[in-house]
Amino acid sequence: MRPAAVFTGIMGMAVVVGLLKAGEARLRGGTGGEETAATEETAAAAPNVASGAAEPAATISDERAEMIARSVEPAVPHPAAATEGAAPRAATIPQQAAPTSSQTAGPAEKKAMELPRPLVENAGILSFGERRLQLAGIAPTPADGICGPAGRQWPCGMMAKTALRQLLRNRSITCDLDTVEWKGTAIAACRLGTQDLGAWLAESGWAEAEAGSPLASVADKAKQAQKGVYGGDPRRK
């Protein structure tokens, strides 16, 4: 065997051994610069017998480039760790809208209140001491009212008052009022038992219905039948 061939084989084996050691050093965490330099020095010692080309420039491997890139990347926090370190978010409680005045306070509802032994001032107005009460839905007939043609006139107002007095006979009635302590004259629907006093006066013809009153049709029937103030003097019958 030629000495040159033997020398070349030995140098080739030395290069391979150097490369293996360099790879082992990389895996163990050795410095890349020193391993690369050692490898380059070993490779430079071997002559290029075949072509006599110049020494190749040192290059970086893909594994090394990936390691460098990972070392300079900013650390990304784990989602769970970010959640644990963040300040707790305050719970949002929906607030209910404040109730309006129409929801909190409605109009005062009238209540059925008992009034003892009213005095009849006329066919439509009752009195309780200094308080007066007008029956709702009718136009009171004055106590001094006169009805009938000349020569046949009669005191229809007094007769209407007497008819209402005879109906009540000093009994208590029930009226729809806000309070029993009103002042002046109040207007309310009143009943004797289940009989509405205003409706009774309109049906009997002893009082006319107010304009727009639901008792208007009842009063018209009484007028057509010539009842009460629409007829003649009941004392002559």
Side-chain angles (χ1 to χ4, degrees):
M1 182 179 294
R2 296 179 181 180
V6 174
F7 179 76
T8 301
I10 294 173
M11 294 305 298
M13 294 177 62
V15 172
V16 172
V17 172
L19 291 175
L20 291 175
K21 290 183 177 182
E24 183 179 1
R26 289 179 182 179
L27 296 176
R28 293 179 179 179
T31 57
E34 295 176 357
E35 295 170 356
T36 304
T39 303
E40 291 175 354
E41 290 175 358
T42 305
N48 191 345
V49 179
S51 60
E55 180 183 353
T59 59
I60 188 169
S61 65
D62 294 340
E63 295 179 357
R64 183 63 178 170
E66 185 176 355
M67 292 176 62
I68 296 174
R70 290 179 178 178
S71 65
V72 298
E73 286 181 355
V76 179
H78 193 273
T83 304
E84 294 175 358
R89 185 176 181 181
T92 303
I93 301 176
Q95 297 182 355
Q96 298 180 353
T100 60
S101 58
S102 60
Q103 296 174 339
T104 56
E109 295 183 358
K110 293 184 178 181
K111 299 180 180 179
M113 300 183 182
E114 184 177 354
L115 301 177
R117 296 177 297 180
L119 296 178
V120 178
E121 292 191 3
N122 58 37
I125 295 179
L126 309 176
S127 63
F128 303 85
E130 297 180 355
R131 295 168 297 167
R132 302 172 74 242
L133 189 149
Q134 178 178 332
L135 299 176
I138 62 171
T141 302
D144 56 355
I146 301 298
C147 298
R152 297 179 62 88
Q153 294 179 342
W154 57 285
C156 59
M158 184 59 65
M159 294 295 295
K161 175 181 177 180
T162 302
L164 182 57
R165 286 179 60 188
Q166 290 178 349
L167 174 68
L168 296 179
R169 288 183 296 177
N170 205 28
R171 290 178 290 180
S172 298
I173 60 176
T174 303
C175 299
D176 299 330
L177 294 166
D178 297 330
T179 176
V180 294
E181 300 298 333
W182 76 90
K183 295 181 179 181
T185 301
I187 300 177
C190 297
R191 296 170 296 280
L192 177 65
T194 59
Q195 176 64 62
D196 185 87
L197 299 182
W200 183 84
L201 289 173
E203 291 173 355
S204 303
W206 291 121
E208 295 183 357
E210 289 184 334
S213 170
L215 299 177
S217 59
V218 177
D220 288 341
K221 292 180 181 180
K223 185 176 182 179
Q224 294 173 3
Q226 296 184 350
K227 292 182 178 181
V229 297
Y230 305 110
D233 189 348
R235 295 172 300 177
R236 297 181 182 182
K237 292 182 181 179

